[in-house]
């Protein structure tokens, strides 16, 4: 990371009708990384005020609604040396940028992710505490990660990996698998927090079980496009 003409970080946020979330997410990302962080929002055709609100903080790209495609389009347009992929309802803590740069001091590290959390932060005996524990143990044991954990990657490693596939689901799993073939995938200490809205809208245990069933089906070879229909 020696090209001083580039920003260090580019944040890519895919959106679709995220007017209630996008401004806070962008503000948190810039505060957590650096003042010169490049912010890009790749909108999949929002019908609300997402684009107008995002435009106050970020450059807007427009395309069809497919998260893998949106993320890859944003990565190709980004100028930063480190690409940071953030979901629209996910908040980065203030120490994220320092932790990412510390991890990338090791030239063997091609990218990584943060610890997973939800907000509001769960109490000691909250079922969301169990969810956090399960996701973070999965990452430690299997080296996997999902977009809710804020995946970051060196630009050159992203390009060598082939980048995000144009999948509507499990695009993050495919990218992480490709990155791990190139080098070490770091699991850094800062805990990012994502909204509980999916679990609350569809039911906590139903959503957890559905995610695991879909993940198993994907590993067994099911098409991500077919799975995306099942997910919706």
């Amino acid at each position: 990371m020696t090209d001083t003409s580039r920003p260090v970080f580019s944040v890519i946020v895919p959106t679709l009708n995220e007017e209630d979330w996008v401004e806070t997410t962008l503000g948190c990302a810039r505060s957590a990384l650096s003042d010169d962080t490049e912010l890009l929002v790749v909108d999949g055709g929002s019908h609300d005020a997402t684009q107008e609100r995002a435009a106050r903080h970020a450059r807007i790209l427009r395309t069809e609604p497919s998260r893998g495609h949106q993320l890859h389009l944003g990565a190709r347009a980004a100028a930063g040396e480190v690409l940071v992929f953030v979901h629209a309802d996910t908040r980065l803590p203030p120490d994220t940028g320092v932790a990412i740069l510390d991890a990338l001091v090791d030239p063997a590290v091609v990218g990584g992710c943060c610890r997973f959390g939800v907000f509001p932060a769960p109490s000691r005996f909250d079922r969301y505490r169990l969810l956090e524990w399960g996701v973070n143990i999965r990452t430690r044991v299997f080296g996997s990660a999902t977009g809710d954990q804020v995946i970051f990657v060196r630009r050159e490693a992203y390009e060598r990996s082939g980048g995000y596939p144009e999948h509507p689901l499990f695009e993050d799993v495919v990218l992480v698998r490709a990155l791990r073939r190139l080098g070490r995938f770091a699991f850094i200490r800062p805990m990012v927090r994502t909204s509980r809205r999916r679990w609350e809208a569809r039911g906590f245990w139903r959503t957890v079980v559905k995610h695991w069933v879909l993940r198993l089906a994907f590993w067994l070879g099911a098409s991500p496009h077919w799975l995306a229909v099942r997910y919706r």
Side-chain angles (χ1 to χ4, degrees), residues 91-146:
R91 308 289 188 258
L92 281 68
D95 53 349
T96 308
V98 172
I100 290 174
L101 293 178
D102 285 347
L104 294 177
V105 167
D106 181 351
V109 173
V110 294
C113 69
C114 301
R115 289 191 300 148
F116 170 80
V118 297
F119 68 83
S123 62
R124 184 176 179 184
F125 299 108
D126 194 324
R127 59 190 176 178
Y128 286 95
R129 181 77 71 181
L130 178 64
L131 175 66
E132 292 178 348
W133 179 85
V135 170
N136 292 322
I137 287 293
R138 183 191 67 202
T139 300
R140 287 189 182 280
V141 173
F142 298 106
S144 64
T146 59

Side-chain angles (χ1 to χ4, degrees), residues 210-226:
K210 188 173 188 178
H211 283 181
W212 278 105
V213 169
L214 290 172
R215 180 178 285 267
L216 177 61
F218 178 71
W219 281 109
L220 292 175
S223 161
H225 298 277
W226 182 86

Side-chain angles (χ1 to χ4, degrees), residues 14 18 48 67 91 100 105 123-124 130 133 135 145 158 164 171 173 175 224 231:
E18 297 287 1
D48 62 5
R67 196 164 61 195
R91 308 289 188 258
I100 290 174
V105 167
S123 62
R124 184 176 179 184
L130 178 64
W133 179 85
V135 170
Y158 182 86
Y164 273 106
E171 73 292 335
V173 175
L175 175 65
Y231 180 74

Side-chain angles (χ1 to χ4, degrees), residues 26-93:
L26 292 169
C28 285
R30 174 160 281 156
S31 296
L33 298 173
S34 66
D35 290 341
D36 68 342
T37 294
E38 179 186 39
L39 301 176
L40 296 96
V41 167
V42 188
D43 191 73
S46 294
H47 302 298
D48 62 5
T50 295
Q51 294 187 31
E52 291 80 358
R53 294 183 182 183
R56 299 169 187 168
H57 311 272
R59 179 154 60 107
I60 311 298
L61 304 176
R62 298 170 178 84
T63 188
E64 66 268 20
S66 172
R67 196 164 61 195
H69 175 71
Q70 289 172 253
L71 290 165
H72 189 56
L73 181 65
R76 290 175 62 189
E81 295 189 50
V82 180
L83 307 178
V84 185
F85 300 97
V86 182
H87 284 185
D89 63 346
T90 299
R91 308 289 188 258
L92 281 68

Side-chain angles (χ1 to χ4, degrees), residues 163-176:
Y164 273 106
E166 303 208 354
H167 293 345
L169 200 66
F170 293 118
E171 73 292 335
D172 42 12
V173 175
V174 175
L175 175 65
V176 172

